[in-house]
Amino acid sequence: MEKILVTGGLGFIGSHTAVALLESGFEVIIIDDLSNASKEVLTGIQTITGVLPEFHQIDLRDKEAVSQFFKAHTDLKYAIHFAASKAVGESVSDPLLYYENNLMGLINLLNPLVSKSSGVIFSSSCTVYGQADQMPITEEAPIKPAESPYGNTKQIGEEILRDTVAAHPQLSVVALRYFNPIGAHESAEIGELPIGVPQNLVPFITQTAIGMRAQLSVWGNDYPTIDGTCIRDYIHVVDLAYAHLAALKRLIQKQQKMPFEVFNVGTGKGSSVLEVIESFERVSGQKLNYRIAERRAGDVIQAYADTTRANEVLGWKAQFTLDDAMRSAWKWEQKVRG
């Protein structure tokens, strides 16, 4: 079975994808700089799968370290690239960090791969669409000026990949533009565990419910939506992991119609911030302490996916509900803080 490199493999999405790969018989090698992850995640992966994946602590910005890694792994042809900074708000306040980390890391990963027949799955984002004109968002929706530096790094990342594939046709790339990953593995052995104050909604909800945070801020309730709060397409992280698995099999089997392909990965349904809170309260039995705050810079009003292409071409479809995801996220939070 093929060896698969998973960069950022101890992070939230990377760790769940590593589990899906191992359970499907792939050999997994993980690179992570541990800037927003813990080495203990390796234990969680091993507990679920019975396999301890090979791990290397490397900052992908370190070109020499990346080069040495590939010299020691000459048979490595496939990479799933998660390693990146990912908080919209933080990117607005510290854009240079985001441009350096997200773009240099990608370039340093690509350099050793372009010389061989190889494949890359790129962790892209619905942020590339900005505030789309129509809902649901298809892959043909125009790429608008990014609402945040984070979103811009995903746009530029896709451009780098598209240009690289054009120059090196032996390289194949699938970019998965995913929407809002939430939830945790049903075992509660791995889940979302941000270092510091969470930048995403669901871990802030669970940390507020468990008592780590005094109060949750809902950023604006005057948007033109069902209840005035922003709408997103919240996808269970395990569903998302299986989308990567489906894309990888397409790469390995050389089934691509073109060397650079793009797929939306979401549920196809939008949920407002207040609906997410209601779902959490319903499945957990907890009343959440939250307040309405001012709008936050960089937030779009609504974004949810048209997933037809992923459903038909990849043969993949989201299986879990919002309640499923919130239930698993709460189970994970209780285990971590228990």
Side-chain angles (χ1 to χ4, degrees), residues 182 234 271 275-276 279 282 320-327:
I182 60 171
Y234 294 95
S271 300
E275 285 175 329
V276 175
S279 171
R282 183 166 56 248
F320 294 99
T321 66
L322 178 62
D323 280 6
D324 291 335
M326 298 308 291
R327 191 179 294 110

Side-chain angles (χ1 to χ4, degrees), residues 11-294:
F12 178 40
I13 308 169
S15 60
H16 287 82
T17 301
V19 165
L21 292 168
L22 289 165
E23 289 180 336
S24 297
F26 289 99
E27 185 177 338
V28 173
I29 302 172
I30 291 174
I31 283 178
D32 202 296
D33 69 355
L34 301 181
S35 62
N36 195 34
S38 166
K39 205 170 176 182
E40 292 172 9
V41 176
L42 280 170
T43 305
I45 294 171
Q46 183 181 26
T47 301
I48 296 167
T49 65
V51 180
L52 180 65
E54 183 180 330
F55 170 70
H56 298 265
Q57 184 175 348
I58 297 172
D59 185 332
L60 291 179
R61 291 174 294 183
D62 185 341
K63 186 174 183 179
E64 181 57 30
V66 175
S67 175
Q68 289 301 319
F69 168 82
F70 275 96
K71 283 177 183 174
H73 296 80
T74 54
D75 57 342
L76 202 52
K77 295 194 298 182
Y78 296 98
I80 305 180
H81 181 51
F82 296 105
S85 303
K86 63 182 178 61
V88 168
E90 184 185 49
S91 79
V92 173
S93 61
D94 195 355
L96 292 179
L97 169 69
Y98 275 66
Y99 287 117
E100 181 188 26
N101 194 39
N102 294 7
L103 300 180
M104 288 308 301
L106 173 61
I107 292 166
N108 289 341
L109 173 68
L110 287 175
N111 270 318
L113 288 171
V114 293
S115 61
K116 58 181 89 176
S117 178
S118 55
V120 173
I121 297 172
F122 178 59
S123 169
S124 193
S125 167
C126 64
T127 57
V128 302
Y129 299 115
Q131 180 55 69
D133 298 322
Q134 292 181 304
M135 295 290 145
I137 301 169
T138 71
E139 289 87 352
E140 279 68 46
I143 304 298
K144 294 191 169 184
E147 299 279 337
S148 68
Y150 163 72
N152 203 25
T153 66
K154 293 302 181 184
Q155 290 184 7
I156 297 168
E158 285 194 14
E159 290 168 3
I160 289 169
L161 287 161
R162 193 176 280 110
D163 291 343
T164 304
V165 163
H168 300 276
Q170 68 273 24
L171 176 69
S172 297
V173 173
V174 174
L176 298 183
R177 292 174 179 164
Y178 29 88
F179 283 65
N180 290 65
I182 60 171
H185 193 270
E186 62 181 0
S187 66
E189 292 292 340
I190 56 173
E192 189 168 11
L193 191 62
I195 294 174
V197 179
Q199 301 289 327
N200 297 325
L201 175 62
V202 171
F204 214 115
I205 286 175
T206 58
Q207 287 189 13
T208 302
I210 207 97
M212 272 191 75
R213 308 289 162 196
Q215 190 175 56
L216 169 74
S217 294
V218 175
W219 306 108
N221 68 342
D222 58 348
Y223 288 98
T225 62
I226 185 172
D227 55 25
T229 62
C230 290
I231 288 175
R232 298 289 183 269
D233 187 336
Y234 294 95
I235 177 171
H236 197 300
V237 66
V238 173
D239 274 331
L240 182 53
Y242 281 108
H244 289 83
L245 188 61
L248 177 66
K249 289 176 178 176
R250 183 170 173 79
L251 278 179
I252 292 171
Q253 293 163 6
K254 310 293 184 193
Q255 292 177 329
Q256 290 176 290
K257 297 290 188 289
M258 55 192 70
F260 182 88
E261 291 184 322
V262 172
F263 296 93
N264 284 340
V265 184
T267 65
K269 178 182 183 300
S271 300
S272 73
V273 174
L274 291 182
E275 285 175 329
V276 175
I277 291 172
E278 288 163 11
S279 171
F280 174 78
E281 291 182 336
R282 183 166 56 248
V283 302
S284 70
Q286 305 288 313
K287 287 299 290 180
L288 202 67
N289 180 25
Y290 68 91
R291 69 180 182 96
I292 305 300
E294 292 294 313

